[in-house]
Amino acid sequence: MADIGIIGSGVAGLHLGLFLRQHDIPVTIYSDRSPQQIAESRLPNTVAHHHATLERERALGVEHWDPQKYGYFANHHYLGGPRPLAFRGDLRAPARALDYRIYLPTLIEDFRERGGGFELRPIKPENVVDLSSRHDIVIVASGGTGLSAMFPKRAAASPYELPQRRLCAALFHGVDHPDPKGMSLSVSPGHGELLELPMYSFAGHVTALLFEGLPESELADPADADPGEDAEAFERLVLERVRTHFPGVYERISPAEFRLTRPEDVLRGGLVPTVREDYARLPNGKYALSLGDVHTVVDPIVGQGANSASYSAWVTGEAILEDHGFDARFCEKVARRRAERTLAAAEWTNLMLRRSAAPHVLELFSAMAEDPALAEEITDNFNRPERQWDILSTPERTRAYLRARGKEVQP
Amino acid sequence: MADIGIIGSGVAGLHLGLFLRQHDIPVTIYSDRSPQQIAESRLPNTVAHHHATLERERALGVEHWDPQKYGYFANHHYLGGPRPLAFRGDLRAPARALDYRIYLPTLIEDFRERGGGFELRPIKPENVVDLSSRHDIVIVASGGTGLSAMFPKRAAASPYELPQRRLCAALFHGVDHPDPKGMSLSVSPGHGELLELPMYSFAGHVTALLFEGLPESELADPADADPGEDAEAFERLVLERVRTHFPGVYERISPAEFRLTRPEDVLRGGLVPTVREDYARLPNGKYALSLGDVHTVVDPIVGQGANSASYSAWVTGEAILEDHGFDARFCEKVARRRAERTLAAAEWTNLMLRRSAAPHVLELFSAMAEDPALAEEITDNFNRPERQWDILSTPERTRAYLRARGKEVQP
């Protein structure tokens, strides 16, 4: 029987580990942090799980947080500028944003209870070969200690050398959820975006604000502020930027109650969107497969990273179940099966990262604003980024899609 | 709405055309032969449709030939040599071999009745661009007039420059079907193979014998004989070769009744196994997609060609339904989705074409001979060549598979 080693205890590693344990396959996760250390860490992200990911959680038996209670039900859009546009897309099934410092330790516990091996030890690149001799294949699902470099960057799918946004994510009290309860994605043309997510964290039901600031814009300021030095100054800065750029969010804020939940509930930085090779052959003839962020790093602007990682874990698990070897053929199979979705997630994200919105994206937004059914369809495609990219990969496709939905479009 | 042009009225073109008509998509098939001409032609092949293909026929509403009556129920195997091995694999659901000179004209009629365009005109490579201006995309499903050359050969997947077998297929009276009614695949080591198929043709329920002779073997002699000159000499030659090499088939032949059904029921020649590129960009910016034999030519030794073509047609049809453009992204999508199965069919076939059977193939045969359930599983994989190739692509995989099925195997 196969024996699988997984480096990394993020969503990719855990969903794969849980999948394998459901089928009684021996699996060990190597983590550089204990559940306790994860729980006590700085805010790691502001991830939302779309319905397709929640369905995988249900199948894995880890649906501990009922999306009716912990989730949300709509994506609210706001496009600023001289003629602002506001519209929403209802979710056909709820999504859910849960603090990963609660989520991951709980799943580690599930994994261990179900017979999964969990070893607390950081794996460095020079230890991977050694580790591989203990397993049939090593899945590299954590890039934390330089492991990503095992998998060369795929230049054609990785157009950027630098982060395209300065990011600042933090959790706040004092923001009323939009109605229906939902996330909001607001664009301030020439400056960047604000994502707002109803999130469940240690402080209870709170709001995540994620600034996506163009590097030279004042929306990048929150990423440069240090709330550890002066939390009140940070809160004032955030409030001021929201007021100036995102009036629809600002009007739901009670300034008197607006405050950072906890000092550690802030994350600042930026990501270089990167797609890496799917696998590497090790010197001893065994193979290592990249998973999650090690395979694809996407900016959080359309919330695809964790969902893509979970999907990729599932595809990998299914291939492990059905296959008889862990060689190049196995790795190629996983690569081919996950390519359509994972590459689409990366390309769609990169389109949304352009400094100014592409005209065909604006055409789609206008159609969504006019037609709730169309807005719902596009919103549902957050579950299937390959469909979104079918629509958005060229202006011709967007117009063909709109025409097929009965819209008048310029020829 | 999309408008599709298909060059070729073989199984690939017709299954795709029928699929598209089922979804009301305008489609025109260009054929260099009329249904009448196809019906009157020389035996084109001795194709069997496996269950997966029959299921697609059912979905297309063209199940005119009940497999319980026209089909067969087992694959009988015989491996000659000093210690002959005979065993069978039962089919979980019947397969069916039907003369394509009956099959294709019937499906053309179905296609026309359902609103499909059918134009009788040979398309040469220099006419493809012209044709493409009438459609959103052109599907090239016939290589008859040099069109295959539009799609470069993929060297890594096309290891041969010459046919690996001299082929002679013909239909005969006077052969009792094996019990249970089935096809037989017999190997004469160092000489080649004989495929025997219960086939329905103009002469009724008859038997197709397909010699797969190594070029210098006497099993290549039938491919060099001309029954048009002397039908009785041809019959005597066939009978003699069956008697010498395939005793299990010979004992079911009544020599007094053994005769070729009709002079035109013979096909002789050979194929170079070839995998070609999935698509080509035309000078006018439109795309042409390869399908069926234009995409993959396989030797008939494990009966994968037509089934692969039908599968590929289905995948293409689904992509046409869901997509919004017919550009490189569309073609890449089809390529990626069909690659796992079509490439496995090609690689498995090529393995079976080796001059002497690979040791791990013999190990699998031995296990099949001992274990009917395992033989049934391998036989069922004729429907899913990717699973067969999961098992057979390396000796390590074959042994892992056998171990997982409780067999003792050498380490």
Side-chain angles (χ1 to χ4, degrees):
Chain A
M1 175 169 277
D3 182 301
I4 311 297
I6 300 174
I7 304 173
S9 57
V11 62
L14 281 164
H15 280 197
L16 176 57
L18 287 159
F19 181 98
L20 295 175
R21 286 312 304 148
Q22 249 185 350
H23 297 93
D24 289 326
I25 294 175
V27 51
T28 304
I29 288 179
Y30 301 91
S31 175
D32 57 359
R33 290 178 308 164
S34 70
Q36 182 71 17
Q37 286 171 317
I38 294 171
E40 290 171 356
S41 69
R42 175 170 292 281
L43 179 72
N45 57 45
T46 53
V47 154
H49 285 189
H50 305 310
H51 177 62
T53 300
L54 298 182
E55 283 295 292
R56 282 188 289 272
E57 291 180 3
R58 180 199 301 270
L60 293 173
V62 295
E63 73 285 44
H64 305 298
W65 303 273
D66 180 0
Q68 292 300 327
K69 177 176 175 192
Y70 295 92
Y72 62 85
F73 309 93
N75 289 1
H76 300 265
H77 294 266
Y78 172 79
L79 177 63
R83 285 183 302 177
L85 195 65
F87 59 96
R88 77 166 200 257
D90 288 333
L91 274 61
R92 288 180 183 160
R96 191 204 61 215
L98 175 73
D99 194 316
Y100 262 34
R101 297 168 294 182
I102 295 173
Y103 183 73
L104 298 178
T106 308
L107 264 61
I108 292 172
E109 194 177 332
D110 291 333
F111 175 71
R112 296 174 75 161
E113 276 175 7
R114 297 170 192 184
F118 186 86
E119 290 195 19
L120 186 60
R121 61 171 166 142
I123 306 294
K124 292 181 185 153
E126 59 267 31
N127 308 134
V128 173
V129 173
D130 235 27
L131 197 76
S132 76
S133 66
R134 301 169 58 176
H135 301 284
D136 287 302
I137 190 167
V138 172
I139 314 292
V140 185
S142 164
T145 42
L147 294 172
S148 292
M150 290 173 62
F151 308 94
K153 189 166 166 171
R154 290 168 57 183
S158 309
Y160 301 120
E161 294 296 326
L162 294 169
Q164 298 303 296
R165 295 289 187 279
R166 298 276 295 149
L167 303 176
C168 174
L171 307 185
F172 294 95
H173 293 292
V175 186
D176 284 345
H177 297 315
D179 181 34
K181 188 180 176 187
M183 66 90 86
S184 77
L185 170 51
S186 307
V187 183
S188 176
H191 292 279
E193 299 82 11
L194 178 71
L195 274 81
E196 171 203 11
L197 288 133
M199 181 171 269
Y200 187 75
S201 179
F202 296 104
H205 292 279
V206 296
T207 293
L209 295 181
L210 166 60
F211 286 90
E212 297 249 350
L214 285 165
E216 70 286 9
S217 153
E218 62 176 27
L219 286 182
D221 294 345
D224 294 319
D226 184 353
E229 278 189 9
D230 187 341
E232 283 183 29
F234 177 75
E235 289 159 4
R236 279 195 305 273
L237 173 67
V238 166
L239 205 54
E240 172 53 26
R241 293 296 179 268
V242 175
R243 189 184 65 75
T244 311
H245 292 273
F246 308 108
V249 178
Y250 185 76
E251 67 191 21
R252 286 185 280 101
I253 295 181
S254 317
E257 295 167 34
F258 185 75
R259 64 175 201 284
L260 193 59
T261 48
R262 306 185 308 165
E264 60 268 45
D265 291 350
V266 184
L267 177 70
R268 298 175 300 139
L271 300 167
V272 182
T274 305
V275 178
R276 295 184 175 276
E277 292 294 345
D278 291 90
Y279 63 95
R281 190 174 188 275
L282 301 174
N284 61 357
K286 292 210 177 174
Y287 283 79
L289 186 83
S290 61
L291 193 70
D293 280 354
V294 179
H295 178 236
T296 319
V297 175
V298 296
D299 187 280
I301 194 163
V302 281
Q304 290 297 313
N307 296 281
S308 188
S310 164
Y311 169 77
S312 193
W314 196 268
V315 168
T316 304
E318 286 182 328
I320 290 171
L321 275 197
E322 76 181 34
D323 215 344
H324 310 293
F326 297 97
D327 48 14
R329 172 169 174 76
F330 170 81
C331 295
E332 284 287 351
K333 179 190 294 190
V334 172
R336 199 182 272 139
R337 291 186 184 175
R338 71 186 178 183
E340 194 172 317
R341 179 162 293 180
T342 56
L343 293 181
E347 296 197 275
W348 169 34
T349 300
N350 288 344
L351 173 67
M352 303 311 279
L353 283 180
R354 289 196 194 167
R355 297 184 59 86
S356 57
H360 65 290
V361 172
L362 296 178
E363 287 169 45
L364 185 67
F365 282 172
S366 295
M368 290 171 75
E370 281 167 13
D371 183 341
L374 190 144
E376 186 183 300
E377 185 167 89
I378 296 295
T379 302
D380 198 50
N381 283 349
F382 275 66
N383 290 293
R384 286 178 297 278
E386 66 279 13
R387 295 246 183 124
Q388 210 75 306
W389 194 235
D390 278 347
I391 295 168
L392 283 170
S393 59
T394 67
E396 292 74 21
R397 283 172 165 269
T398 305
R399 286 162 202 158
Y401 169 76
L402 292 175
R403 265 194 300 271
R405 295 293 179 284
K407 306 294 162 200
E408 285 185 26
V409 296
Q410 59 218 57
Chain B
M1 176 170 278
D3 182 301
I4 311 297
I6 299 174
I7 304 173
S9 57
V11 61
L14 281 164
H15 280 197
L16 176 57
L18 287 159
F19 181 98
L20 295 175
R21 287 312 304 148
Q22 247 184 354
H23 298 93
D24 288 326
I25 294 176
V27 52
T28 304
I29 288 179
Y30 301 90
S31 175
D32 57 0
R33 291 178 307 163
S34 69
Q36 183 70 15
Q37 286 171 318
I38 293 170
E40 290 171 357
S41 69
R42 175 170 291 281
L43 178 72
N45 57 44
T46 52
V47 154
H49 285 188
H50 306 308
H51 177 64
T53 301
L54 298 181
E55 284 295 293
R56 282 187 290 271
E57 290 180 4
R58 180 200 301 271
L60 293 172
V62 295
E63 73 287 46
H64 305 298
W65 303 274
D66 180 0
Q68 292 299 327
K69 178 177 175 192
Y70 295 91
Y72 62 85
F73 310 93
N75 289 2
H76 299 266
H77 294 266
Y78 172 78
L79 177 63
R83 284 184 300 177
L85 195 65
F87 59 96
R88 77 166 200 256
D90 288 332
L91 274 61
R92 289 179 183 161
R96 192 202 61 216
L98 177 72
D99 194 315
Y100 262 34
R101 296 168 294 181
I102 296 172
Y103 183 74
L104 299 178
T106 308
L107 264 62
I108 291 172
E109 195 178 330
D110 291 334
F111 175 70
R112 296 173 76 163
E113 276 174 7
R114 298 170 191 184
F118 186 86
E119 291 196 18
L120 186 61
R121 60 170 165 142
I123 306 295
K124 292 180 185 156
E126 59 268 31
N127 307 133
V128 173
V129 173
D130 235 28
L131 196 77
S132 76
S133 66
R134 301 169 59 178
H135 301 285
D136 287 302
I137 190 167
V138 172
I139 314 292
V140 185
S142 164
T145 44
L147 294 172
S148 292
M150 291 173 62
F151 307 95
K153 189 166 165 171
R154 289 168 58 183
S158 309
Y160 301 120
E161 295 297 326
L162 293 169
Q164 298 302 295
R165 294 289 188 279
R166 297 277 295 147
L167 303 176
C168 175
L171 307 185
F172 294 96
H173 293 292
V175 187
D176 284 345
H177 297 314
D179 181 34
K181 188 179 175 187
M183 66 91 84
S184 77
L185 171 50
S186 306
V187 182
S188 176
H191 292 279
E193 300 83 13
L194 178 70
L195 274 81
E196 172 203 10
L197 289 133
M199 179 171 271
Y200 187 75
S201 178
F202 296 106
H205 290 280
V206 297
T207 293
L209 295 181
L210 167 59
F211 286 90
E212 297 249 350
L214 286 165
E216 71 287 6
S217 154
E218 62 176 27
L219 286 181
D221 294 345
D224 294 320
D226 184 352
E229 278 188 12
D230 187 342
E232 283 183 29
F234 177 74
E235 289 159 3
R236 278 196 306 274
L237 174 66
V238 166
L239 206 53
E240 172 53 27
R241 293 295 179 269
V242 175
R243 189 185 65 78
T244 310
H245 291 274
F246 308 109
V249 177
Y250 185 75
E251 68 190 21
R252 285 185 281 100
I253 295 182
S254 317
E257 294 167 34
F258 185 74
R259 63 174 201 283
L260 193 60
T261 48
R262 304 185 309 165
E264 59 268 45
D265 291 349
V266 184
L267 178 69
R268 298 176 300 140
L271 301 166
V272 182
T274 305
V275 178
R276 296 184 173 277
E277 293 294 345
D278 291 90
Y279 63 95
R281 189 173 189 275
L282 301 175
N284 62 356
K286 293 211 176 172
Y287 282 79
L289 185 83
S290 61
L291 193 68
D293 280 354
V294 179
H295 178 235
T296 319
V297 174
V298 296
D299 186 279
I301 196 163
V302 280
Q304 291 297 314
N307 295 282
S308 187
S310 163
Y311 168 78
S312 192
W314 196 269
V315 168
T316 304
E318 287 182 328
I320 289 172
L321 276 197
E322 77 180 34
D323 214 345
H324 310 293
F326 297 96
D327 48 13
R329 171 169 174 76
F330 170 81
C331 295
E332 284 287 353
K333 179 190 293 191
V334 172
R336 199 181 273 138
R337 290 185 185 177
R338 71 185 177 184
E340 192 172 320
R341 178 162 294 181
T342 57
L343 294 181
E347 296 197 274
W348 170 34
T349 300
N350 288 344
L351 173 66
M352 303 311 278
L353 284 179
R354 289 197 193 164
R355 296 185 59 86
S356 58
H360 64 290
V361 172
L362 297 178
E363 288 170 43
L364 185 65
F365 282 172
S366 296
M368 290 171 76
E370 280 167 14
D371 183 341
L374 189 145
E376 185 183 300
E377 185 166 271
I378 296 296
T379 302
D380 198 50
N381 283 350
F382 275 67
N383 289 295
R384 286 179 298 277
E386 66 279 12
R387 296 247 183 124
Q388 210 75 306
W389 195 235
D390 278 347
I391 295 168
L392 283 170
S393 60
T394 67
E396 292 73 22
R397 283 172 165 268
T398 306
R399 286 161 202 159
Y401 169 75
L402 292 175
R403 265 194 300 272
R405 295 292 178 287
K407 306 294 162 198
E408 285 185 23
V409 296
Q410 59 217 56

